[in-house]
Amino acid sequence: GAVVSQHPSRVICKSGTSVKIECRSLDFQATTMFWYRQFPKQSLMLMATSNEGSKATYEQGVEKDKFLINHASLTLSTLTVTSAHPEDSSFYICSARGESNYGYTFGSGTRLTVV
Amino acid sequence: SQQGEEDPQALSIQEGENATMNCSYKTSINNLQWYRQNSGRGLVHLILIRSNEREKHSGRLRVTLDTSKKSSSLLITASRAADTASYFCATGTGANSKLTFGKGITLSVRP
């Protein structure tokens, strides 16, 4: 079945530094990937839609200069949190459309802690 | 804003019992999907139902969709402790559209 690999699973970084999160579709080509943010015990909030070879489409209220998204190939999308602050600490999840039935395959998520 | 709203927000049942979770939404949809999330992990796709379908089964899962009421239900029969997780409904407006997630339901199945 469709598998999406997301790395790292956990990362701790100092305030002011940048962190890159990778999302790879392992056995299928994903022309579209989605990036979500999830706060504890809350739902997933879509941050942006990433299309291969073009600029990402950001949701209202999401700072595109802070959350840089690159989708350079059909199997890889990256999210870079720039100049991270403690309020950026969250659980970030990527997803890509699966191969059948419109279902989306999710990565296992990245727990970001900014200290 | 959240499209899907699940209820109850938390559900605790005994192993072997059935669990019913409901989801309501506000706008027109092409499909509605249910996902499971174990604590601190990604989401697992459970089942998808299209807007022209009324009921769908997958193993111990049964999903219904009532587009006139803009609501869906997920039934897990003969629950197991391993079913303990958060469950989310998500709506899509097309095959490649973004998904809008509800707030989620926390299901606890007591052994």
Side-chain angles (χ1 to χ4, degrees):
Chain A
V3 176
V4 171
S5 175
Q6 184 173 343
H7 292 281
S9 58
R10 291 177 180 271
V11 59
I12 300 173
C13 71
K14 291 185 178 180
S15 191
T17 62
S18 296
V19 174
K20 180 184 284 188
I21 302 169
E22 291 190 349
C23 182
R24 293 179 184 273
S25 57
L26 297 186
D27 48 5
F28 67 101
Q29 293 184 330
T31 55
T32 304
M33 288 188 177
F34 303 88
W35 287 94
Y36 295 86
R37 181 174 181 174
Q38 185 180 33
F39 290 103
K41 299 188 185 301
Q42 294 190 27
S43 186
L44 280 73
M45 299 299 296
L46 180 66
M47 299 175 66
T49 302
S50 165
N51 294 295
E52 185 267 336
S54 63
K55 291 183 178 180
T57 302
Y58 289 81
E59 295 299 301
Q60 192 172 9
V62 177
E63 299 176 60
K64 61 179 69 176
D65 293 332
K66 181 168 186 61
F67 298 99
L68 300 179
I69 292 173
N70 183 277
H71 194 159
S73 76
L74 286 171
T75 59
L76 174 65
S77 177
T78 61
L79 167 67
T80 301
V81 183
T82 63
S83 186
H85 289 98
E87 55 264 33
D88 298 325
S89 298
S90 191
F91 192 59
Y92 293 87
I93 311 176
C94 67
S95 76
R97 182 177 183 276
E99 294 180 316
S100 63
N101 294 329
Y102 295 28
Y104 290 77
T105 303
F106 283 77
S108 55
T110 298
R111 172 74 58 193
L112 170 64
T113 303
V114 184
V115 298
Chain B
S1 62
Q2 291 294 323
Q3 164 77 313
E5 295 282 343
E6 296 97 337
D7 75 85
Q9 292 192 340
L11 180 63
S12 180
I13 59 174
Q14 198 73 35
E15 199 165 32
E17 293 179 340
N18 295 340
T20 299
M21 292 168 271
N22 303 301
C23 168
S24 61
Y25 56 93
K26 299 176 182 177
T27 63
S28 295
I29 63 170
N30 171 276
N31 63 86
L32 186 144
Q33 307 178 32
W34 285 90
Y35 288 83
R36 183 185 74 225
Q37 183 182 35
N38 290 88
S39 181
R41 305 298 298 274
L43 274 69
V44 174
H45 180 251
L46 295 177
I47 197 166
L48 176 147
I49 186 165
R50 292 188 175 85
S51 59
N52 61 351
E53 298 175 310
R54 292 296 167 260
E55 187 171 313
K56 213 163 179 182
H57 297 255
S58 177
R60 295 184 294 115
L61 305 180
R62 172 177 169 256
V63 169
T64 63
L65 179 64
D66 187 335
T67 52
S68 66
K69 295 181 179 178
K70 290 186 167 55
S71 68
S72 172
S73 68
L74 171 66
L75 169 67
I76 302 175
T77 60
S79 65
R80 305 167 182 168
D83 295 328
T84 295
S86 293
Y87 291 82
F88 294 89
C89 71
T91 55
T93 56
N96 289 313
S97 70
K98 61 184 181 183
L99 295 177
T100 303
F101 283 83
K103 295 180 180 178
I105 300 169
T106 300
L107 173 66
S108 297
V109 181
R110 302 185 301 274

